Amino acid sequence: MSEPCNTYKLDDITTMPQRYRANFINSLSGFKSAALLGTTDGKSHNLAIVSSVVHVGANPPLLGMIMRPHTVQRDSLNNIKQQGVYTLNHVHTQWVDKAHQTSARYQPQESEFEKVGLTPWFSDNFNAPYVAESHIKIGLKVEQHFTLCNQTEMVIGAIKEVHLNKAMMSEDGYADIERAGSACISGLDSYHSTHRIAQFSYAKPDTPLTNK
Amino acid sequence: MSEPCNTYKLDDITTMPQRYRANFINSLSGFKSAALLGTTDGKSHNLAIVSSVVHVGANPPLLGMIMRPHTVQRDSLNNIKQQGVYTLNHVHTQWVDKAHQTSARYQPQESEFEKVGLTPWFSDNFNAPYVAESHIKIGLKVEQHFTLCNQTEMVIGAIKEVHLNKAMMSEDGYADIERAGSACISGLDSYHSTHRIAQFSYAKPDTPLTNK
């Protein structure tokens, strides 16, 4: 609690070297989900790691993500605009290296699936590639897409289907993503496994929390 | 890889009981950051746990978060609208119980700081309360605020100052949030510590990844 604290003002941040600042600011948002974004242009299947997936709502079921149009994410974003559908697939601790390798700058016609050694899989009625190796696969259709104040783009997708082993689900609907081996990310390039500390009951004023 | 997979179509999700669906969908976004949102109305200091913080950009430094205006987050959102500033403070593994307890429905004039046993702390020139016990404290000013398609609200804040011990920063600017003891969340109520698997070099086509 009384650990010595250093203060970084906006001026200190603005004058940091670009890559240093990117590492620093990307650490501040805390742990992030690790997902592979699957898209297609109809011929070539594209795979990109994303760490900006965020829960938007459960009813209707919506997930958001923030994309950078002038980076290696450009091809995925073009595919999403063209096809209107995409998949999100949890990255698991056993193959974080393959997931990270999708961030290399491959040519648009090259498939990251092939390049990194992951397997495209299609469900019956959904026109975007899933990652066969992922234990939690989500198919989404674009619901809202707009540009934020810094020219990044936010894509909100409506969940159309989910593929997972129902054995990982608790009685209350929680899917145990730790048991499924899902990884998380910090900063730009650090991958982590997790260890459950507690799962708490619904909090009420003046009532001690209980562990589920 | 060939684990048996069950498919949940949109209809299956829509017909789930409300709380079951909330648990299910909240698990799908993957691991989430655990932060305490500090706000004030000028008299009472408010604290709310948020798991929807997302990196928006490093230059200028921006963090986004998604808020639900008709829930226990209402008071925090009103304070943000009124004051224009707020803090985000990493939740650490040693006191996830106190952080979770802030989600109880306290009265607007009650301070969650007092109720859960955390300490408000103010920096010299910033008009929102930090959590003294947090090793990573971020002060933000509202940059953009809008309503999403499901009537949740997205607040994008410009980082104005950061308080942390610079000993936790690597040479390349990465802040080691695992060493700092930051926690992550899955679903609505599960808290996790982390264990680093790898920290990779910048990925390039046809070049093996190296561990930093």
Side-chain angles (χ1 to χ4, degrees), chain A residues 15-16 29 34 44 47 65 69 71 74 95 115 122 138 142 159 162-163 183:
Chain A
T15 53
M16 287 173 176
S29 56
S44 174
L47 207 51
M65 65 181 173
T71 66
R74 188 184 49 234
W95 42 271
K115 291 289 176 183
F122 284 85
I138 309 162
V142 177
I159 296 177
V162 179
H163 307 276

Side-chain angles (χ1 to χ4, degrees), chain B residues 123-197:
Chain B
S123 73
D124 284 345
N125 296 298
F126 199 75
N127 196 26
Y130 292 98
V131 177
E133 287 82 355
S134 176
H135 299 158
I136 302 175
K137 309 176 179 77
I138 309 162
L140 302 106
K141 183 164 181 284
V142 177
E143 182 76 20
Q144 198 180 8
H145 185 175
F146 50 93
T147 302
L148 300 176
C149 54
N150 67 341
Q151 302 308 309
T152 55
E153 299 186 22
M154 182 154 188
V155 178
I156 297 179
I159 297 176
K160 294 300 175 187
E161 54 180 37
V162 179
H163 308 276
L164 51 72
N165 185 334
K166 67 182 176 187
M168 79 174 69
M169 283 174 68
S170 307
E171 274 180 21
D172 67 357
Y174 171 72
D176 192 338
I177 65 175
E178 176 167 297
R179 191 146 57 89
S182 298
C184 62
I185 294 178
S186 70
L188 286 168
D189 45 30
S190 187
Y191 291 80
H192 309 256
S193 61
T194 65
H195 175 74
R196 179 169 291 109
I197 307 166

